[in-house]
Every structure is written in structure tokens, then in C-alpha cells.
Amino acid sequence: QVQLVESGGGLVQAGGSLRLSCAASGRTFSYYAMGWFRQAPGKEREFVAAISWTGSSQRYADSVKGRFTISRDNAKNTGYLQMNSLKPEDTAVYYCAVIARDQWGSVLLADRYLYWGQGTQVTVSS
């Protein structure tokens, strides 16, 4: 089992930046690929970004491509989401999650992820 704890959310003005962290404990973090999802009020949870277990491959939602960067440090059992040029429409609760590392083809699908964090709120003011 893996426990995930997100941090780094907050209130920021449009155009600003935030860096989210996802600290993992329990089973070895490098057994898994990692993803970030977000959910805005009244909307479904949506895929944001994912990174392979080695960190060599990344995928991004079109809405964040070029603005967000996903990374990981397996030695620290931590994943990150650097968010730049934030927009009010990025406002949401952001969740990290892990998926079996052989499921890279399914990283866009929330129901394939095995463990989830509790989420961290990101609010972008206009």
C-alpha cells in the first residue's frame, strides 16, 4: 500500500506560479507511474499530467501543456507539479495518484490508479 500526501497549494494571482509536491510512503514509490488530476466545483475529475516510473516519459492535458511540468525524485519518494502562468480556470483541488508502472497506456484514466492523496486546493484569482 502507498500513502500519498499533497502540499503546496494556495491562493495565487493569475500569471503566477505554484509548485505542488506529492510525498509517498509505504511501498516503493518507483514501482509506480504517477499522475496529477484536478477537480473543480461542479465538474468531473480531470487528468492533468503523468510521469513514468523512471521519469523519462511525461504526458500532459492540452489545457496545461507548456505551462505545467511534472517531475519526480524517486530517492526522495516525492513527485512534483510545477505550475506556471496560472489561469483562473486552473482553480481546483489537485490530487496526486499512482498507477502500476506497466499501465502507462492508461494514465489518462482515473479509475486505473491504485492510490490517491487527499488533495490540495489551488485558487487562482483574476
Side-chain angles (χ1 to χ4, degrees):
Q1 192 162 353
V2 177
Q3 293 78 42
L4 302 170
V5 178
E6 302 96 336
S7 61
L11 173 64
V12 64
Q13 288 189 333
S17 298
L18 283 174
R19 189 194 196 202
L20 305 184
S21 297
C22 176
S25 61
R27 197 176 181 192
T28 305
F29 184 52
S30 59
Y31 284 176
Y32 304 96
M34 187 192 76
W36 287 93
F37 287 76
R38 66 187 182 187
Q39 188 165 19
K43 295 188 177 181
E44 293 187 354
R45 189 169 299 191
E46 65 172 354
F47 171 80
V48 174
I51 188 167
S52 63
W53 69 278
T54 61
S56 60
S57 297
Q58 302 88 34
R59 290 192 69 175
Y60 296 93
D62 288 343
S63 59
V64 307
K65 203 172 293 183
R67 300 188 298 122
F68 290 12
T69 302
I70 189 171
S71 61
R72 67 189 294 163
D73 185 338
N74 287 341
K76 294 183 178 180
N77 290 333
T78 303
Y80 305 97
L81 185 68
Q82 178 67 43
M83 305 186 295
N84 299 330
S85 302
L86 282 161
K87 305 175 181 180
E89 50 264 44
D90 294 319
T91 295
V93 177
Y94 283 71
Y95 299 89
C96 67
V98 293
I99 185 171
R101 64 187 190 184
D102 62 351
Q103 295 294 307
W104 183 247
S106 300
V107 292
L108 272 64
L109 304 175
D111 62 0
R112 300 297 180 91
Y113 284 75
L114 301 173
Y115 303 104
W116 292 80
Q118 82 290 347
T120 186
Q121 176 71 47
V122 171
T123 303
V124 184
S125 64
S126 56

